[in-house]
DNA sequence: TAGATTGTTAATCGATTAACAATC
DNA sequence: TAGATTGTTAATCGATTAACAATC
């Protein structure tokens, strides 16, 4: 890293996308790219790319462009991909199991150390090679593994009590698929909400608008 | 609706959240709410709420506030919840099955009319009470059902060819869990991307920052 | 050197917040 | 009527785009 350290959330949310594009370029043997060419591939302005990349210390080369691999590594570091946060997954229903099986956690800075559920039918089953444990054992496992992050794939009603327990156990990051609003101000928790229903409604709005306008 | 019809995307993305809060208020028997009280519950400024709600014709009452149910209904209409878009789901792997089972489609403007997969092990299995069909039958079903929307829970590599077929079939909306960038400019398609990996990396960034700064 | 492309400053655009007159 | 709260305009803030001098 380097530079005047504050990076706005608008920029941060674009970083994973840069990271993906740079990965593909790297895979295709491209070693060097200009902001102009990247902008065309990504559908952004070259100006925005230069502005963004400059937040963490310009290491493009004037007259030349950016080194793909170097840039990829740097963005990975900025996003924290150079370490793994021990993480528990709460809820082994449809969504919890899908997330457990589907995500490439190790390349997203996450190490899964426990999967929990409250329902007797699910406890003892195996998901992604791990035994689903009773939520009764949350304290035991979080303490033993020093869990930092929790993924919440649980119903809204179950959330307040579990979040409270997790916060007491020192969990500071939440990847939240539930519709419960996790308090951040008082707790210092870092929360990333995934509201799939909201996303779908936004699509519906755009469809409707599209139908009316054109 | 009413008013000077253009609503910015920043506002639109807040509407589903208003919708959820208003639903809860309604459920709790609250009939009337002021922008100030709603702002406190939602963690926004009252000014922003008034500004947002005003985009589609002020029907609060000065000195009184907003009628919860009326506002709920209106936002629902704006989001297009008063109709259902016939929708096909492509990919019956972990994520596809979880989405099929987990989402409350009917309350998000979506009617699921077909689930497809390419792999012989999944074809013929039952998901959410529907038979998983071979993607060979995509044309047949989309035509018969006049599908408008497709949900993509497929690998990146499979996407270009399938998206192309869907566009030819008149599908205009895409809820995209794949990492394929669906072309919008040329096709007029409406796309809502869900990049779960990006979301997780953003969480990782915030955790890291949190660790450094405080 | 000449050409290309960055880093960075300035200009523009859009979104949020503040303020207050209108009015229920 | 007096008090409350909206609708709406103006002020501020932040993000994006444009421009260009620095430099590889």
């Amino acid at each position: 890293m380097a530079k005047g350290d504050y990076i706005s959330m608008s920029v941060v949310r674009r970083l994973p996308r840069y990271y993906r594009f740079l990965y593909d370029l790297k895979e295709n043997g491209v070693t060097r790219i200009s902001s102009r060419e990247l902008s065309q591939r990504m559908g952004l302005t070259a100006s925005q790319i230069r502005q963004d990349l400059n937040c963490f210390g310009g290491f493009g080369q004037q007259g030349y462009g950016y080194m793909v691999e170097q840039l990829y590594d740097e963005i990975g570091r900025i996003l924290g991909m150079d370490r793994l946060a021990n993480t528990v997954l709460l809820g082994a229903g449809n969504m919890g199991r899908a997330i457990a099986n589907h995500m490439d956690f190790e390349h997203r800075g996450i190490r899964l150390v426990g999967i929990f559920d409250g329902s007797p039918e699910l406890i003892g089953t195996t998901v992604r090679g791990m035994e689903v444990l009773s939520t009764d054992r949350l304290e035991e496992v979080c303490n033993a593994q020093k869990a930092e992050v929790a993924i919440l794939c649980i119903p809204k009603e179950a959330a307040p009590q579990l979040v409270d327990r997790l916060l007491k156990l020192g969990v500071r990051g939440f990847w939240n698929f539930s519709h419960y609003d996790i308090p951040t101000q008082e707790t210092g928790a870092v929360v990333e909400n995934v509201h799939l229903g909201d996303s779908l409604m936004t699509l519906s709005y755009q469809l409707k608008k599209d139908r009316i306008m054109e």
Side-chain angles (χ1 to χ4, degrees), chain A:
Chain A
M1 212 166 320
K3 272 279 166 109
D5 38 53
Y6 175 74
I7 305 184
S8 82
M9 226 25 196
S10 323
V11 175
V12 173
R13 295 208 174 275
R14 280 192 292 270
L15 293 182
R17 188 146 182 273
Y18 288 128
Y19 197 60
R20 280 191 278 121
F21 273 80
L22 288 165
Y23 179 82
D24 287 349
L25 287 168
K26 194 165 71 97
E27 287 297 287
N28 288 315
V30 178
T31 55
R32 191 214 123 210
I33 195 155
S34 70
S35 59
R36 187 165 150 280
E37 193 186 339
L38 190 57
S39 77
Q40 287 165 345
R41 290 182 190 246
M42 296 188 66
L44 305 171
T45 64
S47 210
Q48 179 163 64
I49 291 178
R50 290 207 296 281
Q51 209 55 286
D52 284 354
L53 298 187
N54 234 199
C55 292
F56 35 93
F59 54 120
Q61 293 229 332
Q62 278 155 326
Y64 184 80
Y66 299 87
M67 299 301 293
V68 171
E69 182 145 16
Q70 189 193 1
L71 192 53
Y72 174 80
D73 291 345
E74 183 68 8
I75 292 180
R77 245 190 312 280
I78 296 191
L79 287 169
M81 297 301 104
D82 51 349
R83 66 181 293 282
L84 295 174
N86 289 341
T87 300
V88 289
L89 169 61
L90 274 67
N94 292 314
M95 195 46 69
R97 289 199 307 273
I99 292 297
N101 287 311
H102 183 264
M103 298 299 298
D104 183 9
F105 287 123
E106 287 71 19
H107 293 105
R108 302 288 178 275
I110 296 292
R111 180 191 292 122
L112 206 58
V113 298
I115 304 179
F116 299 86
D117 202 288
S119 111
E121 300 95 76
L122 291 172
I123 295 168
T125 59
T126 300
V127 174
R128 201 190 224 216
M130 298 177 74
E131 189 188 347
V132 176
L133 304 176
S134 163
T135 42
D136 294 346
R137 299 181 58 190
L138 198 57
E139 278 73 12
E140 173 198 329
V141 176
C142 285
N143 282 326
Q145 303 278 354
K146 305 210 190 315
E148 283 184 70
V149 173
I151 303 175
L152 304 185
C153 295
I154 53 179
K156 186 175 180 175
E157 309 76 48
Q161 190 250 8
L162 286 168
V163 168
D164 197 55
R165 282 166 69 189
L166 289 162
L167 285 167
K168 288 208 179 85
L169 289 163
V171 170
R172 287 171 31 258
F174 292 86
W175 199 32
N176 181 30
F177 286 76
S178 90
H179 286 177
Y180 172 60
D181 267 290
I182 299 171
T184 53
Q185 209 93 82
E186 320 84 52
T187 61
V190 167
V191 177
E192 176 75 12
N193 291 306
V194 181
H195 286 301
L196 294 176
D198 290 12
S199 167
L200 200 44
M201 286 199 263
T202 306
L203 176 65
S204 167
Y205 171 83
Q206 291 176 275
L207 270 176
K208 182 197 170 113
K209 192 187 58 170
D210 195 56
R211 206 160 39 238
I212 296 168
M213 307 234 286
E214 283 132 58

